Amino acid sequence: MLNYKSKGYGIFQALNVVFMYGVMIACLGPFIYILAISFSSPEAAMAGKVFMLPVGFTLDAYIAMMNYPLFIRSFLNSVIYTSAGTFISLFMTVICAYPLSKKSLFGRKYLMNMVIFSMFFAGGLIPNYIVVSSLGFTNTLWAIVIPGAINQFYLIIVISFMQGIPKDIEDAAAIDGMNPIQTMLRIVLPLSKPVLAAIGLFVAVGLWNDWFYSLIYLNSNTKFPMMLFLMNIIQGANANITKTVSSGSQHIGIVGISAKTTTIILVSLPIILVYPFLQKYFVKGIMIGSIKG
Amino acid sequence: MVMKKARRKTTAILVLVLAAMFIAAAMAGCGSSPAPASVASTGAAAEQAASAAPATTQPPIVSDKPIEITMMINDNPTYPWNPDWLILNEIKKRTNVTINATAVPAMNYTDKFNLIMNTGNIPDLLVPSGDWYVYALNGKVLPVSDYMSQLPNMTAEMNKLNCAQEYQNTQLIDNKNYTLPVFTESQIYTCGLVVRKDIMTKLNLQDPKNFDDLYNVLVKMKEYDPKSYPMTGFYGCDMLFWFLGRSFNSFSIGGWSSLGEVTYDLTQEKYVSAMTSPTFQTILIYLNKLYKDGLLDPELFTQDVDQWTQKITTGKSFVAYDWTDQNSDINTAGKNTDPAFDFENVMDPIGPGVENNMYVNTNITSRFIMPSSVAEKPYFNELLKFADWLFYSDEGTTLSNWGVEGTTFQKDSNGKLAWAPNYTSSKEYQQKYGIGYHESLTGVIRTDYLKAILPAQLQPLQQQWDKLNWVPTMPTPKLTSDETDQVKLYQAPLQDYFNKAVMSFIMGKTDPTADWDSYVKGAQDKGIDKLVDIYNAALARQGKGK
């Protein structure tokens, strides 16, 4: 008979806890450091006096950043791109997944092969750009939201989940006189809420973090999302250094460390606030397309 | 079938949410990006524009019809592009041209530039980046040299600055010039050795006149504070070599040189290997001596600007090479540590065995290019006239450097330009008005502007600076595409070898005197001589080499 409270097990427990605490501190440490700098006075930050607690507590950096040109604008842009993109993506994924989940669909095998093939082989950056710009999407919201609307991997997850819904329910609905669209909207969709929540979350986080597509498709800086804005703040200035080496211009414009850390905190804040509530969906969601017992 | 109340309610909510999302999405989608129309107006609108202008202004300089041109530039995060800037409104008023600019984050500029050049739809004026000459040789860029007759102001400015030769040096291998250069009229003191003046005074030290002096200064500082590393830096060896090159009379070597490990010998008038030259050995011996005696910060090679700033402001280091524009911030922060903190620029020490330091006079510091497709556009002539006016005419450069008379600057009794009473700093003027925005709207960076924004404590340095002997820039070899490929083949391994060897010499793992020959042999094995030969052959082809 196993004795769960053996000494070896206790030691293992202890070591495990210590190790996990170590990992937690390693993850949290840099973040707390940045948080402390952002609340410190610029002189203390520059002098490197800040460790884990703010020195010379001040909100000046935050106030300055909120008043920074285009900051609020880029935040709103991110919110709009994320919400519109998530909605469009979920909508497109569902209407694609439902028919593909029916084994009786004519040509299903070929359609599924196309989906899987396109997972591995893509056109590349320049053909993509040419397609999107010839549709007239450059410098608009649609360039960010539409090309990546259906992610094949998520599509397959939703298909698997929908296949797991018992066929009898849909048969009963058919007997009651529902057509396929009504079945989808009233029976399948409510039952798929868990997988849609999970997929929606992945898509939303992906859109929130996106900077590459915004960089190549957007032209006016009033349309940049927050991530691009953040990148510009943190890295943009340093790239100019070799240019100004030989020029008479003094305008290197190295941004102060306070501005950088404040921007980091402000950009991470929305995700941090939302994450604890949605965490369980993340954890459940990725396994949701797998076989049920 | 009667819908249950609850279901009706959920459906209603769903519909409302959907509608809200769609409306929000549509509104965001209807961006305010004006269509890149060519000549935007019909006859009626043109008459409206003409009649709207007050009767006392002279005829429009560039165009009598409203035109819109597109530009692509580096976006500087300190003063992001703002379409409402005073300078843009003023440009529109005087020339009837609206500029529609794409401001790309500077870090990703090359990626976007390559993408735009490859996919067509190139804006009318743009700042080139990366290997842009490849596009030029493939016919995607407008050869400016074919249109010089339409750019009289540019020719005049070039002759005024005596840099026609330098401009000719920027021709590509097909003997055509593809750029609209950005000129800097003269050199202003912007960077050099910076020291803690208060510590120097405390220890009774004079500004170092040569590198032996510098060594003694650093030794005294180390005695004063044994825990410190008196000299530090950032951006690694490349930046050090750039600065030291000025004193040791060598064009820069390493990452900040356009030719990497090769340099140009002014007396012999040909390219020589920099990484195996005696001058470079002298530099390495000196740096190794500093490192051995604990005078050089070992973290110099890897730290970034923020860490460097912290070291300076907390008094862990006292001497560095740097630009001038950080000094005021550093001094404010440093006063927290030490009320007497005073971090100031001084003249560079003179190198060993030379009479004067070597400072390179570059007049062309940046450039614009135009795509060849712009020649087909109906407003092409107006575009050339506009570029010529804004970048090179006296009125245009005054506007882009100084702004609008009465608002941002004023003239004193001698006709000399001075800032308006509300002037606070050049940074604020750039952010607020868009003037002095040298990344995009300037064709000539004027001396009177640079001197006017020079802080008072740098004026004495500037006076010494004006008296220096300046040498012209290194000629750029014009390579065929085969030669470019070959160069790339040699450069990468040489660069790696160079970086490793340099670190090892400075840190003392290998001796710069004893192990020098094996290092030279290693470089020769990797093809440094062949690389030099390629460059010299290209030079001879242009009729310049010996």
Side-chain angles (χ1 to χ4, degrees):
Chain A
M1 196 123 110
L2 286 167
N3 184 359
Y4 289 119
K5 298 221 170 102
S6 74
K7 202 159 151 221
Y9 189 70
I11 294 180
F12 170 71
Q13 281 265 58
L15 284 178
N16 214 9
V17 167
V18 168
F19 178 67
M20 287 304 168
Y21 267 114
V23 170
M24 192 173 82
I25 291 176
C27 291
L28 272 182
F31 194 75
I32 295 184
Y33 176 64
I34 292 201
L35 196 62
I37 290 189
S38 67
F39 279 118
S40 306
S41 67
E43 294 88 30
M46 253 190 161
K49 288 199 161 135
V50 185
F51 188 48
M52 281 294 154
L53 292 171
V55 172
F57 186 89
T58 170
L59 289 175
D60 284 346
Y62 282 94
I63 298 176
M65 196 42 73
M66 298 285 203
N67 290 330
Y68 204 90
L70 300 176
F71 174 76
I72 302 276
R73 191 68 218 253
S74 67
F75 179 73
L76 287 176
N77 285 337
S78 274
V79 169
I80 292 176
Y81 296 158
T82 307
S83 48
T86 309
F87 175 74
I88 291 179
S89 181
L90 282 178
F91 178 72
M92 303 292 290
T93 308
V94 162
I95 63 176
C96 267
Y98 182 65
L100 282 174
S101 69
K102 299 270 163 271
K103 292 237 166 26
S104 56
L105 179 70
F106 177 73
R108 177 178 183 269
K109 212 167 34 154
Y110 296 103
L111 288 171
M112 282 305 284
N113 281 340
M114 260 169 60
V115 167
I116 295 184
F117 185 79
S118 70
M119 262 172 91
F120 297 111
F121 299 100
L125 177 60
I126 293 190
N128 270 331
Y129 185 87
I130 294 180
V131 167
V132 170
S133 64
S134 60
L135 286 168
F137 283 169
T138 31
N139 211 23
T140 65
L141 158 82
W142 309 112
I144 317 274
V145 154
I146 293 206
I150 308 182
N151 180 313
Q152 299 91 327
F153 185 63
Y154 300 153
L155 182 68
I156 293 180
I157 291 182
V158 178
I159 290 176
S160 313
F161 184 86
M162 285 184 178
Q163 281 174 337
I165 297 176
K167 197 161 182 304
D168 305 329
I169 295 187
E170 301 188 28
D171 287 344
I175 288 177
D176 280 339
M178 278 198 187
N179 59 40
I181 294 187
Q182 284 174 318
T183 317
M184 182 181 82
L185 283 179
R186 297 203 198 153
I187 306 286
V188 177
L189 207 53
L191 283 174
S192 311
K193 266 197 240 167
V195 75
L196 289 183
I199 301 296
L201 209 51
F202 289 132
V203 169
V205 170
L207 279 167
W208 182 264
N209 287 339
D210 168 69
W211 56 271
F212 184 67
Y213 291 108
S214 322
L215 172 72
I216 59 177
Y217 291 124
L218 297 178
N219 290 334
S220 2
N221 55 2
T222 47
K223 296 213 169 88
F224 285 171
M226 240 173 140
M227 288 301 162
L228 205 50
F229 176 80
L230 173 65
M231 247 191 24
N232 205 8
I233 292 278
I234 290 188
Q235 292 176 336
N238 292 336
N240 279 326
I241 192 107
T242 41
K243 243 179 37 177
T244 55
V245 156
S246 48
S247 83
S249 166
Q250 304 197 48
H251 311 308
I252 298 184
I254 294 177
V255 179
I257 191 171
S258 288
K260 290 185 200 176
T261 51
T262 313
T263 322
I264 292 177
I265 299 291
L266 285 172
V267 166
S268 334
L269 206 59
I271 293 282
I272 292 176
L273 290 176
V274 163
Y275 197 76
F277 305 104
L278 303 174
Q279 191 185 18
K280 65 170 180 186
Y281 291 110
F282 265 123
V283 171
K284 266 209 248 166
I286 199 69
M287 292 299 289
I288 209 132
S290 60
I291 300 172
K292 290 198 190 3
Chain B
M1 199 167 26
V2 177
M3 272 213 273
K4 297 228 179 89
K5 242 194 185 161
R7 199 175 281 157
R8 197 189 298 164
K9 196 169 162 212
T10 10
T11 320
I13 294 178
L14 187 63
V15 167
L16 274 175
V17 168
L18 274 179
M21 291 244 186
F22 264 124
I23 292 177
M27 268 170 51
C30 298
S32 55
S33 61
S38 34
V39 180
S41 59
T42 61
E47 277 176 36
Q48 244 183 13
S51 59
T56 49
T57 52
Q58 60 261 57
I61 304 168
V62 168
S63 158
D64 41 8
K65 295 192 286 258
I67 296 179
E68 190 173 313
I69 65 167
T70 46
M71 268 181 91
M72 189 163 92
I73 46 151
N74 271 302
D75 197 17
N76 191 314
T78 321
Y79 20 94
W81 179 269
N82 182 349
D84 295 325
W85 269 337
L86 173 70
I87 183 176
L88 297 173
N89 290 332
E90 193 64 26
I91 288 177
K92 182 155 172 200
K93 221 189 317 176
R94 296 194 205 179
T95 62
N96 243 334
V97 171
T98 316
I99 298 182
N100 179 10
T102 309
V104 182
M107 197 64 187
N108 308 96
Y109 189 82
T110 314
D111 297 329
K112 182 123 193 203
F113 175 78
N114 284 330
L115 186 69
I116 296 284
M117 293 300 283
N118 275 320
T119 55
N121 218 353
I122 311 173
D124 302 323
L125 268 177
L126 61 162
V127 177
S129 158
D131 290 339
W132 66 272
Y133 55 86
V134 175
Y135 301 112
L137 292 172
N138 280 330
K140 279 226 162 95
V141 181
L142 188 79
V144 171
S145 42
D146 289 348
Y147 299 94
M148 289 300 281
S149 56
Q150 288 178 275
L151 299 167
N153 284 319
M154 177 165 119
T155 322
E157 188 69 31
M158 253 198 314
N159 291 333
K160 188 170 109 185
L161 295 176
N162 221 347
C163 59
Q165 182 61 39
E166 194 179 338
Y167 183 60
Q168 213 195 23
N169 278 344
T170 63
Q171 278 178 355
L172 295 184
I173 188 127
D174 56 0
N175 285 334
K176 287 201 181 158
N177 218 317
Y178 290 89
T179 61
L180 289 170
V182 173
F183 297 113
T184 303
E185 281 190 336
S186 66
Q187 302 300 323
I188 298 289
Y189 184 91
T190 52
C191 52
L193 196 66
V194 201
V195 300
R196 283 281 301 275
K197 273 269 163 77
D198 56 313
I199 304 265
M200 306 267 287
T201 330
K202 203 192 288 191
L203 300 178
N204 247 328
L205 296 167
Q206 305 295 325
D207 290 347
K209 289 272 174 306
N210 54 43
F211 280 85
D212 292 327
D213 283 348
L214 180 62
Y215 179 76
N216 292 330
V217 163
L218 293 174
V219 164
K220 290 260 166 45
M221 285 178 169
K222 182 84 179 182
E223 283 170 9
Y224 166 74
D225 183 356
K227 280 202 312 249
S228 69
Y229 287 107
M231 179 149 178
T232 184
F234 54 100
Y235 291 153
C237 297
D238 289 339
M239 177 159 150
L240 255 190
F241 293 149
W242 189 84
F243 280 105
L244 290 175
R246 308 200 300 194
S247 298
F248 284 73
N249 273 19
S250 151
F251 286 106
S252 161
I253 156 175
W256 286 18
S257 158
S258 54
L259 295 183
E261 285 65 41
V262 174
T263 184
Y264 185 76
D265 188 316
L266 285 166
T267 15
Q268 294 181 56
E269 280 188 8
K270 65 180 179 115
Y271 293 107
V272 296
S273 156
M275 65 189 283
T276 52
S277 66
T279 315
F280 188 54
Q281 188 184 20
T282 322
I283 294 181
L284 285 176
I285 293 179
Y286 185 78
L287 287 175
N288 174 245
K289 189 162 87 159
L290 291 185
Y291 188 88
K292 258 196 325 226
D293 296 343
L295 305 172
L296 197 63
D297 183 5
E299 289 179 1
L300 180 159
F301 307 109
T302 46
Q303 68 185 0
D304 62 7
V305 182
D306 291 329
Q307 291 161 308
W308 173 87
T309 316
Q310 285 178 356
K311 289 217 173 101
I312 297 283
T313 48
T314 48
K316 292 209 185 72
S317 297
F318 313 112
V319 172
Y321 280 106
D322 189 25
W323 280 261
T324 57
D325 54 356
Q326 294 198 87
N327 285 355
S328 58
D329 287 337
I330 292 179
N331 278 321
T332 325
K335 291 212 165 38
N336 273 338
T337 329
D338 182 354
F341 192 97
D342 189 23
F343 194 58
E344 297 296 341
N345 286 83
V346 296
M347 284 297 280
D348 295 332
I350 299 196
V354 298
E355 259 190 52
N356 295 310
N357 286 347
M358 183 178 94
Y359 294 96
V360 180
N361 186 18
T362 333
N363 280 114
I364 299 181
T365 50
S366 182
R367 56 211 60 81
F368 292 96
I369 59 173
M370 294 183 275
S372 45
S373 56
V374 84
E376 318 293 324
K377 298 226 172 123
Y379 55 84
F380 175 57
N381 290 321
E382 280 83 7
L383 175 67
L384 285 182
K385 228 195 303 184
F386 174 70
D388 191 52
W389 175 82
L390 176 64
F391 292 151
Y392 308 112
S393 75
D394 190 56
E395 195 190 342
T397 55
T398 310
L399 175 62
S400 59
N401 280 281
W402 286 92
V404 179
E405 186 168 358
T407 318
T408 57
F409 76 92
Q410 58 208 13
K411 283 206 174 109
D412 68 4
S413 48
N414 296 335
K416 201 162 143 241
L417 303 180
W419 293 116
N422 67 351
Y423 174 78
T424 46
S425 71
S426 64
K427 260 196 198 150
E428 202 198 308
Y429 260 30
Q430 281 159 320
Q431 208 177 42
K432 210 158 129 195
Y433 300 117
I435 63 170
Y437 191 171
H438 293 149
E439 276 87 1
S440 73
L441 294 172
T442 319
V444 179
I445 304 178
R446 286 175 33 163
T447 311
D448 53 359
Y449 167 78
L450 289 176
K451 288 209 166 142
I453 62 172
L454 196 68
Q457 64 264 36
L458 292 176
Q459 303 282 4
L461 281 177
Q462 181 59 42
Q463 286 170 352
Q464 295 187 51
W465 205 251
D466 287 333
K467 295 200 210 102
L468 294 174
N469 269 333
W470 294 84
V471 301
T473 36
M474 228 180 358
T476 333
K478 300 206 213 339
L479 305 170
T480 61
S481 56
D482 280 340
E483 286 171 337
T484 319
D485 289 337
Q486 273 189 313
V487 160
K488 285 210 169 105
L489 220 57
Y490 284 124
Q491 257 184 352
L494 275 173
Q495 188 107 8
D496 284 334
Y497 180 71
F498 171 76
N499 290 336
K500 287 208 195 73
V502 157
M503 291 295 288
S504 145
F505 278 132
I506 295 183
M507 292 186 158
K509 290 205 185 71
T510 43
D511 189 311
T513 332
D515 300 322
W516 185 253
D517 289 330
S518 62
Y519 160 73
V520 171
K521 175 106 190 356
Q524 281 167 346
D525 287 340
K526 292 213 160 35
I528 182 72
D529 292 327
K530 294 204 193 66
L531 186 60
V532 169
D533 287 338
I534 296 178
Y535 285 137
N536 278 326
L539 202 60
R541 209 170 41 222
Q542 294 156 229
K544 292 201 199 93
K546 286 204 185 133

